Amino acid sequence: FWWGGTLLYKLREGTPPLNSPVLKLILLILMWCFEIMRTQTDIDFPELIYYCFSSALQPFPSLSQLSAALGGLSGVPELEVEALRPVNLLQERNLLPPRPLQAPEPNLSAELKKANCSPQTFRCTLTSIPQTQALLNKARLPLGLLLHPFRDLQQLPVITSNTIVRCRSCRTYINPFVSFLDQRRWKCNLCYRVNDVPDEFMYNPVTRSYGEPHKRPEVQNSTVEFIASSDYMLRPPQPAVYLFVLDVSHNAVEAGYLKHFCESLLDNLDKLPGDSRIRVGFLTFDSTIHFYNLQEGLSQPQMLVVSDIDDVFIPSHDSLMVNLKESKELVKDLLTSLPAMFSQSRETHSALGPALQAAYKLMSPTGGRVSVFQTQLPTLGAGLLQSREDPNQRSSTKGVQHLGPATDFYKKLALDCSGQQIGVDLFLLSSQYADLASLACISKYSAGSIYYYPSFHHVHNTAQLEKFQKDLERYLTRKIGFEAVMRIRCTKGLSIHTFHGNFFVRSTDLLSLANVNPDSAFAVQMSIEDSLADSSLACFQAALLYTSSKGKRRIRVHTLCLPVVNQLSDVYAGADVQAITCLLANMAIDRSISSSLSDARDALVNAVVDSLSAYKNTVSSLQQSGLIAPASLRLFPLYVLALLKQKALRTGTSTRLDERVFAMCEFKTQPLQQLMRLVHPDLYRLDTLSDQGALHLNDMVVPQLPLVHLSAERLSRDGAFLMDCGNVFYLWIGKCCNDMFIRDVLGCPNYAAMPPNMTHIPELETPLSERVRAFLDWLQDDRAFCSTLHVIKDDASAKSTFFQHLVEDRSEAASSYYEFIQHIQQQMSK
């Protein structure tokens, strides 16, 4: 186009002469370029010529103007050309970007980009939505959304208004992507109905001006929170209510968790989310169930024992769930004395099912959160379980049995809890098999959270103890929403058909969330039912209605806008490889339970084969040999290989059944950023820190280190390498690591003097120590929790934990990355 515009401009001025050899050569080059552009973009020849003529009559346009003028080249050219750049995976050895991969930017106008929802909250597997299902089928890529609706936000516009403006037809909340036909009418961006603008909406509370509805905060921000009116309440908002259900059997006493739980709750009692109405209660169990009367006025807590576990009853309805402020001293007395009360227990049985039935009866009048701490297989009463794990099958390559529940007791009870707005969170601290596949149902269907600490022991496993303490502090103090529901709406023509996460689907598109927390995420799969040919944009809106811990009814609304395209090349250019990987992981977990683990693994491999085959056959014009992928999907095979090596999906490697099931639970509930660090951790070399390209934040210099491939050949014995797995950091120190680094960062004179189990970096007043700690703090900036750190010596037995994350290397039962892509190529050639 540049040549065309320049040439025609010169022709217009009469230069060069028409018989010039230079002109003939340029014309030949032009014809060749035109032919390439025509075949690659489906733009017809007259349009190309026309554009060159129009270019000759005005200053040469910018790249964005070119893109806008040519409908067929729908993409910011620089980004689209890079995203579609063919990469030969068999030859390219440096696939990783220098920094952690960011979400691709949708091809929207600057104004829409600025207004769009953050990818940390709302992300689509395809940032360019295919116009038809047929086009989506051709791409062989999944279409879905990943949503983190209640995440902690630094800025959140909160809107108090008597009128919450919504579409009269589809009930979409007004948002930045609606269009105002005039000051009195707006058109819904999902169903296209024209709605009236209410009089109250004409006033802008931010600018205190009248007559500019398009400048209201709910039309300027894609994430907003409304203070809901009584129209959004079925009953008065509930108070914050917390019930703690504690295993006090001999097994629990041996594990030693109770003392640390009581200490943590004592430390954080004043930080529990809530207002003056906050209520708490305690229930302990072994072969019997123990309630605690904490009514104000008593001199000490009273234990009430119910031994009939076949017909559980509540001994007192008024004094077991008490106002925390009124009974705080009694609560403190109980927490101080609980560990000693059961320290001599020899009771080995566990009546978890009856204890949960008691909790349900206790909480039904109000709803709230039940926190269950369990250390073994339930052995008495309703919901008792038998061991189903065969240790000899842990390394099986044929298949894994018992990934689903052994009984529907826990699911049915969870659904009853959900109906009464009770969420159940499970902490499993077990050294033996406890059938998490069955127990997890109590949290899955009540919108709860699941925590698992294998081989937990307060003395012999300090790493798990430290993790438990950090998790518990975050759990007790993080914000919480009660009696919540969430609905996801999308542009007319799109439909949602499958949900992933912990919830109960109350109707086709309404998720019931008894509790909602900022650390849980959801995923949905979508299809295209009707052509989007009449739409240039597709929009998605998630609305979360909940009661805050302060007793306020609120609606948090997120709206995402993406372009609609009719070219397969645009679909591939807009592929979000991390979102695709996370959605496929959710689908694979479902398939491993409904069908088999081998089917789920095959489906993941086929997803890579199908998408790269479709790209090769429809978009790529390269005839060269090798395994060709567009740059946007260059990491897809690597991510899928990493998925296949995760505990949830691996075969041939010894994996305890409970650990596998917990990994599956994490895949279904973790936000994308956290899940990707679990699947493919970020690896950095720390001992070569420099200030080149560093960030300067709040008087701190934060080094920016390039990513290192997850392969042992990229490590060196004279280096120090930091691996970021999301909830844990591993710092591996090579045997020949520089003494100055070890001294200035770890505070030890040399490698030999390093202790075997370091779990923190000391705050030394050395420039190198400050840089390393600044980098670690910067990595954790986007996380609500504090990651644990383990320093690993090259000769320590713990280094196997570090090396198992090097997913590009061959392992005892899984191929290396190079072997995997060779396998993909063989499958594509069949």
Side-chain angles (χ1 to χ4, degrees), residues 238-253:
Q238 70 166 76
V241 182
Y242 305 110
L243 174 64
F244 299 95
V245 179
L246 307 166
D247 178 1
V248 292
S249 64
H250 177 70
N251 202 64
V253 173

Side-chain angles (χ1 to χ4, degrees), residues 684-698:
Y684 306 92
R685 181 163 184 169
L686 273 192
D687 61 301
T688 55
L689 279 177
S690 77
D691 289 348
Q692 186 175 354
L695 299 176
H696 295 266
L697 304 171
N698 302 325

